[in-house]
Each structure stands twice: as C-alpha cells, then as structure tokens.
Amino acid sequence: MARFPRSAIPRLLYTFFSSKTRRFYPSPTAALLLGNFEVRQFSAGNVARAKDAKEPWWKESMERLRNIGISAHIDSGKTTLTERILYYTGRIHEIHEVRGKDGVGAKMDSMDLEREKGITIQSAATYCTWKDYQINIIDTPGHVDFTIEVERALRVLDGAILVLCSVGGVQSQSITVDRQMRRYEVPRLAFINKLDRMGADPWKVLNQARSKLRHHSAAVQVPIGLEENFQGLIDLVQLKAYYFHGSSGEKVVAEEIPADMDVIVAEKRRELIEMVSEVDDKLAEAFLNDDPISSVDLEEAVCRATIARKFVPVFMGSAFKNKGVQPLLDGVLSYLPCPIEVSNYALDQTKNEEKVMLPGTPDGPLVALAFKLEEGRFGQLTYLRVYEGVIRKGDFIVNINTGKKIKVPRLVRMHSDEMEDIQEAHAGQIVAVFGVDCASGDTFTNGSVKYTMTSMSVPEPVMSLAVQPVSKDSGGQFSKALNRFQREDPTFRVGLDAESGQTIISGMGELHLDIYVERIRREYKVDAIVGKPRVNFRETITQHAEFDYLHKKQSGGQGQYGRVCGYVEPLPPGSPIKFEFENMIVGQAVPSNFIPAIEKGFKEAANSGSLIGHPVENIRIVLTDGASHAVDSSELAFKLAAIYAFRQCYSAARPVILEPIMLVELKVPTEFQGTVAGDINKRKGVIVGNDQDGDDSIITANVPLKNMFGYSTMLRSMTQGKGEFTMEYKEHSPVSQDVQMQLVSTHKAGKAE
C-alpha cells in the first residue's frame, strides 16, 4: 500500500485534540493512509505550523486562558457567586451556602473559622473550564482587615469582577477594592448582585459607580423584573432574553425580547453604544456615520475598551437565586484579557532595575512570582503566578531575591484546599509548589535572567495586642504559630516590648488580630492571654532644629571620638518617604566610610521618640559638618554620636504625637441618626458626610482609632441591632495638646513602674 506524506492528510481526518498531551489523534482512516495500523501522534505544534507557519504552538491555549479575581465589599455575595460558577462549570456537583445550615459551607471557605463566621478570611484559588476556556479564579475577602489578601490576588491577576450589591450600592470597601484594581491596572467587569432583594435598584448602583468610583460604565444587560418578580435578563449586545430554568438555574433558555420592554432595551442599548464610542474610535466612526452596529462590532468594541481599562461593562443577576451567572461567565471570556493581552513588567537586576516588558509567552525564560504562602499538611505551600516560560516538576529554579537554587519537588493546581498534581505549567497559569523556602513577593527564574517582579504595596499595621501563652510549656508551639503567620501575612507583625518583655502582635484591626489569636488556639492548641489593644502611635517634628554633638570617651586603650553637626526638619506633607538622610559635608571633616554608621545611628534613634517611645516619621536629617580623630574615631563612635545628637535636638524641634485616624462609614436607620452622630462627636470624630439612602442614613466620619474599640457592641445597643459600620485606615494625624500631655504622663508613669 502506497504511503501518503503527512501533509496530505486533511485536518478533518483527525478525530480529536487532547489538551492534556497537547496531541492530535488521527482517525483509523488516517492511520491506514499513513501506512501500518498503529495510531501515530502529531504534536499540536506541527499541525499548527502546517496550518500557519507564523503561529506558535502555545497561542491557542494562551488565548483560551483567563485569570480573574472576585472582589467586593463585605456581604455582596462574592463567595456565593464563586460557588455558582464552580457548579455551572462542573467543578462541584452540589451547591452549598456560605453559612451552611447543612454543616458543609461554601467550597471556597475551607477554614472552619470561615464557615462558622460566614466570612472569607483567606483568598482561595481554584480553576474551572467554561466553553473550552480555562478560568483561574481567586475568591478574596471583603473585610478591610484582610486587605492584603485582596492586594496580592489583584497583583497577579489579568482581570477582575467587582461585585456590587443592588441594595447597598457602592460601599466603603467597594471603593477600597476599586482603588486596588486601579493600582495594579486590572481591567474589570462589574456585577450588580442580589436583584431579588427588596429595594433592589441596579440603575441607582450604576450611577453610584459612575460618581463614586469614577467608572466610565454602562449596562450590557437589562433585568426582566426586580425583587420577587426578577425572572431573567436581556443581553443588550446580542439582543436576546435569557431565562434560567431547572432546580439550580442550570438550563439557560434564550428567547425573543418581551414586547413591553422594547423601549427600555432600545434606550439602554443606545446608551451603551454612546458610552463605548466615547472611548473606542472604531465604534465612534460607525456611530457618527449612523451605520448599523452589529452585535459582533459592539462586542469587539466593548472588549477593546475594557482591556484598555477605559470602560467597565456592567452585568446583573442574583447569584443566590441562580440567575445571571452563566452570562457573566460568557462576559469573562468575551471582555476580559487573556495573559498575552496584558502588559507585565519585570525589573532587570543586572541593569540597575531597568524596566523590562515580559511578552508573557511560554517560549521565554521562566519568570514566576510567589504571591502567597500557606502552611499546608505537607509543609509550606507557595502560590506562584508564572509570567513567562514553563515550570516543570523536578526542574531547578533560582530565587532571585536570595540567590538560592531550589529543585521543584511537587507542582500542583489548587481547587480551594484540594490539590491536583501536575507535571508542568506554562506562562499565564497560577500553580502552587511544595517544599520551596521563600518569602511572599520573591521572584523565581530558571537562572538565565536576573529579573524581579515589582512588589505589592503592604499597608502599615494600625493596632497591636500583647499576647502570651497561658502555660509555659506551650512556648515552642506559640512561637512556631507566630512565625508561620508572619511569613504568610505581611500585614501581621510580631515584636517584643523592650520594657515589659511582652510579645506584641500588630495587624490591620480588631477582627484581624482576633482571628489570629483564635487560629493559634485551634491549629496549635495553645491558649493565649490577650492584653488590652494598643494603638500604633507615631511621633514627628514640626520645626527646624540644629544639632552639634561631640561624643568623646576615654577608657584606657583606644577611645571613642566622633562629632556630628547639622539640622533636622519635617518633610513636606504627603511625602511618600518617612525618613530622609542627606550628607552635605564638603571635604573630609568626617571620612566617608563613617557616613553609613551616622545614618544608621539616626535611623536607630528615630525608632523610638522621647515623647512616648513610638517611631518618629516624616523627618529629614541633614549632616553639614563634623570632626574625627585619626586614632579614636570608629563606626561605633559615630553611630553613638548620631543617636545622642538626635536626642539632644529632638525636643527643640517641637515634637508631636500622631495617631491613626480611621475612615468610618455607618449605615443606620434615620430614627437613630441623632444618637449615633452625637456618639461620634463624643469619640472626637469629625463627620464629613451624611447621605440618605431610602430609610437609612449613611454617615461618613473620621474618628481616632483609640476611641473605636468595642464600638460594634455600642452601635448595636444604640440602634436596636439595626446599625452597621465599616472602617479603614485613613492617615496618622496630630493629637490635641491635652491628649498629648496625657499620653506622655502615662508613658512616664509606666517607665517609672
């Protein structure tokens, strides 16, 4: 039988393409034509090249990949939405609610604490397949205390879904999350959830998104009915009505648009076209020429504008009632970018941190970022986002931040707390590795390049607690727990109070620290005594002051000699740096090798101000003169001279104490507005906004953190349990003179004891 060349076998003769092995398998007919009966495998690369010599093997698989995060204010329905997505994509086979009455709880809330409290504490990663596209999803917490979880998820994602509640609208944490999305330049879709609830008004929420979040947005869907009459959705791009049938809304039925809704659909579609044409030239041209705009043209324009972060398409639905989730998934595929449509930059360490654009292809050298650490049953689990190249099990990779070479012992894909072993992962994927010792934010490469990814922004902790184990025997487990949590969470800090010898834990708020104390008890079986909450005050100076200090000590043998002269002054308001040191000595009055020791001395002295012993910030120190001794001068002598010089001039610079001010947003029934506002004033808060939302009053205030402890209990008793509040750190600002005197005298009394 004559053999045919491979290229002569038409594509139709291949039966299927396996994404696992990345091979095309020929049909029996093709096998016959190829001679001998064994089924030969063609690599996907060969077939692709036969079809188009220019198109690389990975292009199709990259285009069919989406990395998305789901973020929102507390209780907007993020975890419920993720649960539905996993159900419709076949990753889970039954739906469980967040506060599971059946004792199961949502898949993505895998911690016992999360299931009990009904809140998300840690971001959880999973992946699913929808219409042959692979979607990696990270479900993030809504609570401001766990803001780092949102921060690091958005750092590595290509797109996001911002969930808004159709009743609550744009709330304080929605604004924070949106700000984080802007910081990491993440294209996003908005999803207005809970349309089945009483008082649902998606158009009010859309207007709030435009005014409060400054979104250039328009609806791509119109709901059919609202509240208990919510039945389905009309897609303004495809001009189809969708209804969701079946026990869990799994059957999506497309029908013609109801006749009574033609007017609103025409109006909203025109609004959508107008909004997109403002930011997309191609659509604007068709719109201005009055050309007919097809569904395909509109979809492409929305996609271009969304990826360029000039437009936010708004989807609608009710995740709890199983309506609107499948069209949202279609929207993720249609409008959010795949990894090669996003610009990612690395810093080249060999070229003085020069910015390098990563093409994001599997062909290049490996570049991966460790964005989250977790202590698993088998040791440390490190979540990696692969930005370029391929990572394989058994490969050697280099941690650029430490210079260590490490072997990848095990590579897994995560599905909440479950894992699936894989052999390799390429650019664009989110995977986890075991047994790799590193810190959050480290970059890994294959050793051929020295690139680091830009780090994420970590907010400063605002609150501290003193903790100690009840029994002395459990000290080992206690310190093991604290070390682990510190490695996992950059906003959780552990320190030692030099005066009292107590262990101090610091974090983003009461709930944050409570959760960690509870986790120490549950996961390490260590009961801890918790001291009173302490506020992280800061100190700063308000005026220019000069110093001239000579440190001279003779004690037999080599003495110590160092003189420093200069001045301290406050940095301008809003300065991004907290401490600045400048050497303005002309000549060699102080040899240049002692300058770093002087800077170190000033830095050390600024770690604790003389008012209440808290760090001093927003300070600029300028060295103008000094003197040294040929024999007695040393690094230690100059370091001590700097420390004493700082203390000498500090009181002359009129120091003040700064306290953390929180931005508090309260939602209370209007009848309790007066009582709540009066209480805020008592707590030395400044009310900066008061809006009406139906029967509720929304009060925004700036309140000192030290006056907010135990506020949730107080608010409940004032509003018969109907009030709710959220708070987030705003800034450190000076305390009043009487509070400063009180704090200083308390500090002195504590020292005397």
Side-chain angles (χ1 to χ4, degrees):
M1 180 177 171
R3 283 197 168 194
F4 281 70
R6 288 188 175 189
S7 56
I9 310 299
R11 271 289 290 274
L12 296 170
L13 292 172
Y14 305 129
T15 46
F16 68 94
F17 169 66
S18 162
S19 56
K20 271 194 176 170
T21 58
R22 299 210 53 78
R23 306 277 185 194
F24 278 90
Y25 289 83
S27 65
T29 324
L32 268 169
L33 287 168
L34 286 166
N36 73 40
F37 289 94
E38 74 185 45
V39 175
R40 303 257 178 107
Q41 295 182 354
F42 293 93
S43 80
N46 289 341
V47 175
R49 282 186 203 100
K51 185 179 72 171
D52 179 355
K54 289 177 193 166
E55 203 163 283
W57 63 268
W58 43 261
K59 196 166 191 298
E60 193 179 352
S61 85
M62 290 289 274
E63 283 170 355
R64 291 185 171 273
L65 181 62
R66 299 287 181 275
N67 292 315
I68 62 163
I70 298 179
S71 303
H73 184 84
I74 311 144
D75 265 356
S76 296
K78 298 174 295 299
T79 305
T80 308
L81 176 62
T82 313
E83 189 80 357
R84 299 307 186 269
I85 288 174
L86 294 179
Y87 177 73
Y88 296 133
T89 55
R91 289 294 289 144
I92 56 175
H93 303 297
E94 50 189 22
I95 292 171
H96 295 288
E97 297 317 325
V98 173
R99 280 183 192 266
K101 291 194 177 104
D102 52 6
V104 180
K107 175 72 195 171
M108 300 304 279
D109 285 348
S110 55
M111 273 168 70
D112 293 341
L113 263 171
E114 292 181 313
R115 292 181 174 178
E116 276 170 37
K117 291 181 181 286
I119 59 170
T120 304
I121 292 168
Q122 290 187 326
S123 53
T126 185
Y127 63 94
C128 57
T129 307
W130 180 251
K131 296 187 176 175
D132 292 338
Y133 281 73
Q134 190 193 322
I135 305 176
N136 290 318
I137 303 173
I138 298 185
D139 175 32
T140 63
H143 232 285
V144 67
D145 287 27
F146 309 111
T147 189
I148 188 68
E149 291 289 332
V150 186
E151 197 81 42
R152 56 177 158 205
L154 291 175
R155 169 69 187 80
V156 298
L157 293 171
D158 304 323
I161 298 172
L162 175 66
V163 184
L164 300 168
C165 171
S166 66
V167 182
V170 174
Q171 292 156 289
S172 58
Q173 191 62 12
S174 322
I175 298 170
T176 307
V177 167
D178 189 70
R179 195 184 308 128
Q180 289 169 320
M181 289 178 184
R182 276 179 208 276
R183 184 184 300 142
Y184 297 114
E185 300 182 341
V186 178
R188 52 204 173 281
L189 313 176
F191 178 66
I192 300 176
N193 194 14
K194 303 192 179 184
L195 289 187
D196 58 304
R197 270 183 58 185
M198 284 288 289
D201 185 352
W203 308 115
K204 177 196 80 177
V205 180
L206 177 57
N207 287 329
Q208 282 184 352
R210 287 171 181 166
S211 59
K212 289 188 179 180
L213 303 174
R214 300 193 307 284
H215 277 182
H216 186 80
S217 59
V220 290
Q221 293 173 336
V222 172
I224 304 169
L226 282 175
E227 299 176 359
E228 68 269 19
N229 302 322
F230 177 50
Q231 295 164 350
L233 296 159
I234 294 169
D235 187 321
L236 296 176
V237 178
Q238 306 297 342
L239 290 174
K240 281 266 189 293
Y242 293 112
Y243 297 92
F244 305 88
H245 298 309
S247 57
S248 305
E250 65 276 9
K251 293 191 187 82
V252 183
V253 179
E255 291 182 13
E256 290 305 309
I257 296 167
D260 59 341
M261 294 192 71
D262 282 345
V263 177
I264 187 167
V265 167
E267 179 199 323
K268 294 295 178 189
R269 190 173 199 263
R270 185 173 176 84
E271 187 183 306
L272 171 65
I273 292 169
E274 279 179 15
M275 293 297 268
V276 178
S277 58
E278 280 178 31
V279 290
D280 185 80
D281 296 342
K282 200 171 170 188
L283 189 73
E285 199 177 315
F287 178 62
L288 292 170
N289 296 338
D290 271 343
D291 295 343
I293 292 170
S294 70
S295 298
V296 176
D297 295 340
L298 184 52
E299 187 175 316
E300 286 175 358
V302 172
C303 176
R304 286 193 298 272
T306 306
I307 291 174
R309 301 191 315 283
K310 292 176 180 172
F311 180 72
V312 179
V314 178
F315 289 77
M316 300 183 187
S318 164
F320 184 64
K321 287 285 163 72
N322 311 315
K323 290 184 171 78
V325 179
Q326 297 96 321
L328 176 67
L329 277 170
D330 292 339
V332 166
L333 308 187
S334 303
Y335 304 134
L336 287 181
C338 69
I340 45 179
E341 289 174 316
V342 179
S343 306
N344 287 303
Y345 293 93
L347 305 175
D348 191 342
Q349 296 303 315
T350 57
K351 294 184 182 168
N352 202 12
E353 298 210 338
E354 187 184 299
K355 256 189 166 188
V356 184
M357 182 157 170
L358 298 177
T361 65
D363 285 344
L366 172 71
V367 180
L369 174 73
F371 67 96
K372 178 176 156 73
L373 310 180
E374 217 174 80
E375 202 67 33
R377 295 189 297 276
F378 311 104
Q380 182 177 299
L381 182 65
T382 306
Y383 285 79
L384 291 179
R385 159 75 202 257
V386 186
Y387 281 99
E388 198 172 339
V390 179
I391 185 169
R392 293 181 184 84
K393 182 181 169 181
D395 272 2
F396 281 95
I397 56 174
V398 178
N399 183 337
I400 297 298
N401 300 62
T402 62
K404 284 183 185 168
K405 196 174 185 184
I406 308 152
K407 188 176 184 180
V408 180
R410 189 177 171 198
L411 196 61
V412 293
R413 276 204 303 195
M414 298 304 296
H415 176 41
S416 184
D417 58 342
E418 295 169 17
M419 50 197 78
E420 174 196 322
D421 279 282
I422 53 172
Q423 293 304 308
E424 64 173 51
H426 63 65
Q429 292 187 323
I430 291 171
V431 290
V433 292
F434 272 110
V436 171
D437 188 32
C438 68
S440 188
D442 284 0
T443 307
F444 291 96
T445 72
N446 58 0
S448 63
V449 288
K450 278 194 91 171
Y451 290 168
T452 57
M453 300 303 293
T454 51
S455 60
M456 54 209 148
S457 103
V458 178
E460 282 295 310
V462 293
M463 202 185 127
S464 305
L465 288 175
V467 287
Q468 62 185 74
V470 173
S471 72
K472 293 241 166 70
D473 308 341
S474 50
Q477 283 293 85
F478 181 68
S479 53
K480 195 172 165 188
L482 293 182
N483 285 340
R484 171 194 155 183
F485 295 146
Q486 230 181 325
R487 284 241 301 271
E488 285 182 10
D489 183 349
T491 56
F492 178 74
R493 314 271 170 92
V494 180
L496 197 69
D497 189 321
E499 288 162 23
S500 63
Q502 285 177 309
T503 301
I504 306 290
I505 57 172
S506 307
M508 299 305 296
E510 267 180 292
L511 179 69
H512 190 208
L513 297 178
D514 286 351
I515 293 285
Y516 277 120
V517 172
E518 183 65 17
R519 284 183 67 187
I520 291 171
R521 193 173 68 73
R522 290 187 183 205
E523 295 171 30
Y524 289 88
K525 309 285 183 281
V526 176
D527 278 323
I529 305 167
V530 179
K532 276 172 70 179
R534 298 183 354 161
V535 175
N536 288 356
F537 290 105
R538 293 281 181 270
E539 296 182 26
T540 190
I541 56 171
T542 55
Q543 65 180 37
H544 175 102
E546 303 204 342
F547 58 82
D548 180 350
Y549 188 84
L550 170 64
H551 175 68
K552 193 172 171 186
K553 200 174 178 188
Q554 228 29 72
S555 54
Q558 189 185 349
Q560 290 180 10
Y561 185 96
R563 182 181 172 199
V564 288
C565 309
Y567 59 88
V568 296
E569 62 183 9
L571 282 166
S575 171
I577 45 175
K578 307 289 183 196
F579 176 93
E580 192 180 306
F581 175 81
E582 199 173 336
N583 172 24
M584 290 179 73
I585 295 179
V586 179
Q588 285 286 312
V590 175
S592 54
N593 56 317
F594 293 135
I595 301 296
I598 296 172
E599 183 176 355
K600 199 174 174 187
F602 278 119
K603 262 192 184 152
E604 212 168 282
N607 274 340
S608 84
S610 55
L611 291 177
I612 55 168
H614 280 261
V616 182
E617 57 180 39
N618 295 338
I619 184 168
R620 179 167 182 258
I621 295 167
V622 180
L623 194 64
T624 55
D625 201 0
S628 63
H629 187 279
V631 178
D632 291 350
S633 284
S634 64
E635 287 191 357
L636 177 66
F638 274 106
K639 184 180 159 185
L640 291 170
I643 291 173
Y644 294 128
F646 183 82
R647 290 180 189 165
Q648 176 199 50
C649 71
Y650 188 61
S651 52
R654 293 212 18 223
V656 291
I657 297 169
L658 304 173
E659 65 180 341
I661 301 292
M662 308 304 279
L663 176 66
V664 181
E665 188 178 277
L666 299 120
K667 188 174 185 180
V668 295
T670 306
E671 62 205 89
F672 304 113
Q673 183 185 350
T675 321
V676 172
D679 182 68
I680 289 285
N681 289 331
K682 253 195 243 166
R683 292 171 188 271
K684 298 201 169 142
V686 178
I687 294 174
V688 290
N690 196 340
D691 291 324
Q692 209 60 28
D693 180 16
D695 297 335
D696 292 329
S697 279
I698 312 278
I699 300 170
T700 317
N702 296 334
V703 192
L705 174 64
K706 69 174 190 303
N707 301 338
M708 287 298 291
F709 294 136
Y711 184 66
S712 49
T713 320
M714 189 70 188
L715 182 67
R716 280 191 204 115
S717 64
M718 281 190 294
T719 59
Q720 298 169 6
K722 295 174 190 165
E724 54 182 59
F725 81 102
T726 55
M727 67 175 186
E728 59 177 289
Y729 169 72
K730 186 173 185 282
E731 62 188 358
H732 269 78
S733 74
V735 300
S736 58
Q737 200 56 43
D738 57 324
V739 174
Q740 178 152 326
M741 285 165 70
Q742 191 186 331
L743 287 167
V744 171
S745 57
T746 312
H747 177 68
K748 281 182 180 161
K751 255 185 153 178
E753 278 175 31

